[in-house]
Amino acid sequence: MTTVGIDAIEIRTGKLKLDLPNTFAPEKGDDPEKYTKGLGLQDSSFPDVYEDIVTMGANAAKQLMDRKGLSPSEIGRIDVATESAFDHSKPVSTYIAGCLEQVYDGDFRHANKGERKFACVAGTQAIDDAYNWIRAGRNRGRAALVICTDTALYARGDPGEATQGAGAVAMLIDEDPDLVALSDDQGYGSMDETDFLKPNQQFPSVDGKRSMQVYLARMREALEDYESVAGKIELDDFQYAPFHTPFPGMVRKAALLAYRHVIRDTEREEELAEEIGRQPREDEYEDREAYEEAIREHMDELKDTEQYQTWYAKTVEPTLELSSKVGNWYTGSVHVARVSALRDAVEKDLDFAGETLLVGSYGSGAQAEIHTETVQDGWREEVEALDIDEQLAARYDLTWSEYEDVHDVHEYDEDVGHEMIEQFTTPSEEFVFTGWGRMNERQYDYVE
Ligand code: CAA
């Protein structure tokens, strides 16, 4: 059977940045280390006044199509994953296709377009849809474009405001991919949860602490479900573990739990037993409370062991590099984590083709998904082609009052139009938002 997976990726960050320790923390009266050490964040990307989910998604897609030399007729499917849609009927993929048709010969008339919704896991679901479409032989030799695009903004003053971000990830899903092949095996953890939602509102209602517990619970279930089909996961089975990263501190917590789970009943647990004892087993305790207390103490000790720290530094820490500079991109976040891991492999000059990634996606509401990916021969060229460092360096650094203004521009309830404040950067060779049409549709132009 032919392999199916991600052939190419392009990333597009919002063109502004908010510096959390130096601009955000002083205004909130917080210790900057709450952001850098606690949450693990340095900056968040923010959209300029002429940017939104369509411009960022279309710009990422154009960059990808140009680099791969693709024309619209070679794309049979465009799926957009987003939590920031502004239209309950017309999918964002139609807006993005409309943008792309402004600059390419030909059109996407015969491509199947849609929009996927399940909070941040929707991007991974859209990849799944493309994978199934290709495997079913319905693609007529064409590839699929999956675009994850979000302006992950919170209401001013919400605790989530520290974890904002804005950006898009465009991925080409195809047969015989250059970057990674997707595993057939998958695991799910899925429950009706009320942790983070947007019931007909722009900014989320969030129960922050609960959302973190739900993330960990669903992720553990997905891991167990994955193991039930693929067999027990061993630490040496994978080189990196890119996970959904709402902020790096969240993944730090998930990694410790995953490590405890994976080493249970293995030689590694025995090796550690001499130092910190075996992991507590529930049947050894009188009640649940005593057991949970013992687990907490054990985890505190586990976190500080050399064995754990060495594994974390090699397998997880490198996946968080970009996220710490851009914040949460919701649907794009796990795909940014994958790119961070692959960039680390380039930096370390690893002989990486054939190696495995353990990928953990998560969406509030809530659902986690685990699968593995096998790195393909063309991976290095694909990763070296990314220009994300240049994009990050070019971001405009917002002052606090500029941040307040631009947040208002993007807030639908505020009467601040995009034309009412100066743009901070000058668009060049990209799609921009130009205003509303007669049916309240959003309109876009390509700026040379
Ligand atoms: N030095 C070092 N660390 C510090 C510190 C200091 N001076 N001050 C605080 N910290 C640490 C805290 O101890 C804490 O770490 P631990 O959790 O390990 O104890 C961390 O910094 C954050 O501090 P608080 O818990 O006090 O922060 P908060 O209450 O203001 O908000 C939050 C944190 C709840 C995550 C909030 O940012 C939020 O609501 N975020 C949005 C929801 C979210 O991202 N949830 C994640 C799971 S849901 C999901 O993944 C879907 C999604 O994308 C949204």
Side-chain angles (χ1 to χ4, degrees):
M1 212 186 302
T2 55
T3 52
V4 176
I6 306 174
D7 191 55
I9 295 189
E10 286 290 347
I11 302 184
R12 189 79 180 198
T13 177
K15 294 170 83 174
L16 309 179
K17 85 169 177 188
L18 179 63
D19 181 323
L20 292 163
N22 296 307
T23 307
F24 192 78
E27 288 295 329
K28 297 282 170 184
D30 285 336
D31 179 352
E33 293 202 338
K34 170 177 175 181
Y35 301 96
T36 50
K37 294 210 169 130
L39 295 171
L41 290 166
Q42 182 63 40
D43 301 310
S44 50
S45 285
F46 227 77
D48 205 335
V49 296
Y50 57 85
E51 292 184 293
D52 67 8
I53 51 172
V54 172
T55 65
M56 294 186 301
N59 288 321
K62 178 171 184 300
Q63 213 163 319
L64 188 150
M65 288 181 63
D66 286 350
R67 183 163 69 75
K68 298 298 267 188
L70 292 166
S71 64
S73 62
E74 291 167 283
I75 305 292
R77 189 177 175 105
I78 306 178
D79 282 314
V80 169
T82 185
E83 296 178 58
S84 324
F86 47 78
D87 193 318
H88 287 303
S89 175
K90 183 174 153 61
V92 172
S93 51
T94 60
Y95 286 92
I96 290 181
C99 285
L100 296 170
E101 284 168 355
Q102 291 183 32
V103 295
Y104 291 112
D105 289 336
D107 56 44
F108 298 97
R109 191 177 299 266
H110 303 296
N112 184 5
K113 303 176 192 109
E115 192 169 300
R116 252 296 187 170
K117 178 172 73 181
F118 197 144
C120 309
V121 76
T124 297
Q125 291 182 316
I127 292 176
D128 252 17
D129 294 340
Y131 175 93
N132 295 333
W133 171 72
I134 294 170
R135 269 286 163 83
R138 303 174 98 179
N139 60 323
R140 298 185 238 154
R142 296 172 300 170
L145 255 184
V146 169
I147 302 163
C148 303
T149 181
D150 273 296
T151 46
L153 304 189
Y154 289 76
R156 297 289 314 284
D158 188 290
E161 195 182 359
T163 65
Q164 297 177 120
V169 180
M171 291 169 277
L172 191 73
I173 314 301
D174 206 353
E175 291 173 61
D176 298 323
D178 283 340
L179 193 58
V180 293
L182 300 161
S183 64
D184 285 343
D185 292 331
Q186 291 174 295
Y188 288 100
S190 189
M191 290 278 284
D192 175 12
E193 298 279 5
T194 312
D195 55 335
F196 170 111
L197 54 159
K198 294 184 176 182
N200 282 327
Q201 62 197 47
Q202 183 186 7
F203 299 137
S205 300
V206 194
D207 182 343
K209 302 289 178 204
R210 168 116 189 92
S211 75
M212 293 165 72
Q213 291 165 355
V214 174
Y215 177 115
L216 297 173
R218 302 291 83 79
M219 209 57 110
R220 196 199 61 230
E221 290 163 1
L223 199 62
E224 287 167 353
D225 191 42
Y226 176 79
E227 287 185 317
S228 76
V229 285
K232 182 156 170 52
I233 294 174
E234 305 287 343
L235 284 187
D236 298 332
D237 288 350
F238 53 94
Q239 294 291 313
Y240 294 99
F243 271 45
H244 169 58
T245 313
F247 54 92
M250 182 74 241
V251 176
R252 222 185 286 140
K253 290 180 199 296
L256 187 61
L257 279 178
Y259 191 84
R260 175 169 67 94
H261 173 87
V262 170
I263 67 164
R264 194 176 304 133
D265 297 322
T266 68
E267 269 176 30
R268 282 179 203 262
E269 187 187 12
E270 293 310 320
E271 281 165 30
L272 274 175
E274 284 173 26
E275 201 180 332
I276 58 167
R278 282 176 84 234
Q279 295 181 18
R281 287 357 190 221
E282 192 162 3
D283 56 11
E284 295 164 359
Y285 292 84
E286 268 177 22
D287 53 39
R288 182 85 195 167
E289 210 178 307
Y291 168 64
E292 283 178 3
E293 181 55 32
I295 289 277
R296 268 193 294 276
E297 279 171 21
H298 182 82
M299 300 279 274
D300 271 350
E301 287 177 326
L302 175 62
K303 187 170 70 199
D304 293 333
T305 61
E306 198 187 329
Q307 189 194 96
Y308 175 72
Q309 291 198 350
T310 305
W311 174 82
Y312 180 83
K314 173 176 156 283
T315 314
V316 180
E317 183 80 44
T319 69
L320 307 176
E321 189 251 343
L322 284 174
S323 169
S324 72
K325 297 176 180 165
V326 303
N328 192 358
W329 286 10
Y330 287 163
T331 55
S333 158
V334 64
H335 310 293
V336 166
R338 180 198 294 104
V339 167
S340 282
L342 294 168
R343 276 159 52 93
D344 186 67
V346 169
E347 238 166 66
K348 292 181 176 149
D349 199 19
L350 299 185
D351 185 8
F352 207 44
E355 297 291 353
T356 303
L357 309 177
L358 180 75
V359 182
S361 305
Y362 174 75
S364 295
Q367 181 160 302
E369 191 261 13
I370 299 271
H371 68 265
T372 55
E373 297 176 359
T374 308
V375 177
Q376 301 296 290
D377 287 343
W379 74 279
R380 184 181 294 273
E381 205 180 312
E382 288 301 317
V383 177
E384 283 176 343
L386 291 166
D387 69 348
I388 185 64
D389 287 327
E390 290 76 14
Q391 289 187 49
L392 293 179
R395 283 180 303 178
Y396 178 88
D397 191 2
L398 292 165
T399 64
W400 180 252
S401 73
E402 288 169 341
Y403 161 68
E404 292 188 303
D405 286 347
V406 80
H407 198 289
D408 282 352
V409 168
H410 290 292
E411 181 167 350
Y412 304 152
D413 289 345
E414 293 282 342
D415 265 347
V416 186
H418 75 293
E419 67 293 344
M420 286 163 74
I421 68 167
E422 290 274 324
Q423 53 199 36
F424 297 95
T425 57
T426 308
S428 162
E429 298 185 355
E430 64 193 284
F431 297 103
V432 297
F433 169 64
T434 56
W436 285 265
R438 75 185 169 89
M439 290 175 75
N440 209 23
E441 75 278 21
R442 291 174 75 90
Q443 294 181 320
Y444 302 90
D445 270 345
Y446 187 75
V447 172
E448 293 294 342

